[in-house]
Each structure stands twice: as structure tokens, then as C-alpha cells.
Amino acid sequence: MKDLFGKAILDYQTNNSPEDLITETSISEADEMSVAYLFRDFKEMPKLEQKALQLAKGKVLDVGCGAGSHALYLQEKGFDITAIDISENAIKACELRGLKNCQVSDVLDFDSPEKFDTILLLMNGTGIFGKMNQISKFLQKLKSLLNEGGQILIDSSDLIYMYDQDEDGAYEVPANGYYGELTFSIQYKGETEDTFDWLYLDYNTLQNAAIANGLECKLILEGKHFDYLAKLSKL
């Protein structure tokens, strides 16, 4: 991994001539993304993210923290928050922004002596699952990090709207695999990141996976673009 996403974040934080990221998926064309968006404050965040932060309680873990905007907001509110990301550059930027407890870690490798009351996975939190056959592994790990009475707040989008419909109204989705399984690529300053798997889950599929892994799943809020926020908790 070249860590181009993290490099863009660190460039923005250090004012090192940041440029837009170019993102592309297996079902969409290249699109420009301003790195500044990752540094938004609470009032600039989508309603789903605002709601998740308002629901946070107790000791918090932010998984895939990126530039650290969610974690910083909660830290300023007095929360005991730990933030993790696989990007070394992103974590450097978080430290420079004043985030006190952040570390480079894949959540599957994350080892904590303490458990958490709230685990956040935002900005399409299901993305890190990668593939359908990886969901249980991730949910079991997240469940193991939860205190009794704890919650996992996670968002995603139903990508069915991205597919054409036939004359009967049925969506023309791929026959092989789940339609939310994408491959993702990033370009930054002329470099191209290795492609990686990224998973978007419709709510019913997430709910079924949660139940299969001993978790209750509740729909908290729906957005304007087929996106939603869900809360998972131990059964």
C-alpha cells in the first residue's frame, strides 16, 4: 500500500501543496474529491455523522478515523476516545491536529486491554469489510471489543440505485456476487494506489449479518442518497 489517501491528508494538514484525490470504482468513473472535506467540522458533516456523534457514549473507539474529525469533535466534548487507522500518514496528521490517543492499526489486529461503550465506523463504515465473506470476521472482532450494553454505530449505502432497471422495473445487477462489492482505486499527485476491495451494504443485508453474529441491528436514520446509520448491540 502506497498510503496515498493518508499522504493527501498529511499534505493538507502540513500545507504541503495538497491536491484533489481522484477516486474510481468498478461501477463508477473517476471523480475528484477535495481533501478539505475530510477536515470538516461538526456543522459541515452529513446528518448521519452528526447523529452518530450525538449518540456516542462512554469510552469510544473510532475505527478508520482518517483525518480524525469525528474523534477530535468527541475529544473536545470530553470523551475518552481512541482512534485507529491503517494509514500511518493519516495518524501523523491526527497527532498534529491534537488527537491524544490514536494509533496505526487494522481493527482485526487491534488489541486493547479495555473494552468500549461506543465503536464508530463512519463514512461507509462497512467498506472495510471488503467482501461479503469477510463480514462475520469483522463483526465478531467488533463484538469482542464491546462492553456489555455497548453499541456499534455504522453507516453505509444501498447501491442498487447505481444499476439500470429493465422494462419490468427489476434492477440489472451482476449475477456473480453481491452488487455492493466494489473494487476501489485512488490517484494522488500522479501516483496510483493498488486497487482494494470496498463493501457497500444495504440495510437488510447488514441486519441479517448482524443477527447471524449475535448482534441486534436497529435502523437509526436514513439519508437522502440511499445511505443510512445503524446501531448494532449484543443480543
Side-chain angles (χ1 to χ4, degrees):
M1 187 177 78
K2 298 175 183 176
D3 195 13
L4 298 183
F5 197 76
K7 186 176 188 299
I9 290 172
L10 188 58
D11 281 352
Y12 186 90
Q13 174 60 33
T14 57
N15 200 25
N16 183 31
S17 304
E19 297 178 8
D20 286 350
L21 286 155
I22 309 297
T23 63
E24 190 172 356
T25 77
S26 47
I27 63 167
S28 64
E29 296 179 351
D31 189 31
E32 290 189 10
M33 174 186 174
S34 172
V35 185
Y37 179 70
L38 302 173
F39 288 77
R40 60 200 180 279
D41 60 22
F42 182 83
K43 66 179 182 292
E44 297 171 315
M45 293 177 189
K47 297 292 185 189
L48 296 182
E49 294 174 24
Q50 292 180 347
K51 184 65 173 178
L53 295 178
Q54 289 165 345
L55 290 173
K57 63 179 184 180
K59 187 175 176 63
V60 182
L61 175 66
D62 185 6
V63 177
C65 64
S69 295
H70 302 123
L72 279 167
Y73 172 80
L74 292 177
Q75 179 176 283
E76 289 165 5
K77 292 291 183 182
F79 282 85
D80 178 359
I81 180 154
T82 301
I84 62 173
D85 201 288
I86 61 171
S87 166
E88 186 174 335
N89 286 318
I91 293 298
K92 285 179 184 175
C94 288
E95 291 171 345
L96 289 171
R97 296 185 76 190
L99 199 55
K100 295 173 184 174
N101 190 3
C102 52
Q103 58 183 278
V104 181
S105 179
D106 185 313
V107 68
L108 292 176
D109 301 323
F110 181 62
D111 188 22
S112 173
E114 299 178 280
K115 295 186 185 297
F116 298 88
D117 304 297
T118 300
I119 300 176
L120 298 175
L121 295 96
L122 300 178
M123 290 191 72
N124 188 45
T126 65
I128 64 169
F129 301 166
K131 293 276 191 183
M132 292 288 287
N133 61 11
Q134 301 292 306
I135 296 175
S136 289
K137 178 170 64 175
F138 277 92
L139 289 182
Q140 287 296 329
K141 176 62 178 185
L142 292 167
K143 184 179 174 183
S144 75
L145 294 169
L146 268 188
N147 273 325
E148 291 302 319
Q151 59 180 353
I152 300 164
L153 298 172
I154 186 169
D155 65 356
S156 194
S157 301
D158 184 350
L159 293 190
I160 195 70
Y161 74 94
M162 297 280 289
Y163 294 86
D164 294 330
Q165 291 176 279
D166 63 22
E167 57 189 20
D168 297 322
Y171 287 97
E172 299 174 349
V173 298
N176 56 332
Y178 173 68
Y179 65 83
E181 285 183 338
L182 307 185
T183 54
F184 215 97
S185 66
I186 292 172
Q187 294 178 51
Y188 182 66
K189 290 187 174 180
E191 288 190 272
T192 302
E193 186 66 84
D194 298 334
T195 57
F196 54 93
D197 296 324
W198 197 247
L199 180 64
Y200 288 84
L201 280 181
D202 68 278
Y203 175 71
N204 287 338
T205 300
L206 175 63
Q207 186 179 47
N208 289 335
I211 292 169
N213 285 279
L215 291 162
E216 181 182 19
C217 183
K218 288 185 177 179
L219 182 63
I220 300 299
L221 189 64
E222 290 183 282
K224 297 178 181 178
H225 306 290
F226 296 84
D227 52 343
Y228 64 88
L229 174 69
K231 180 174 82 170
L232 311 184
S233 51
K234 291 181 182 179
L235 285 171

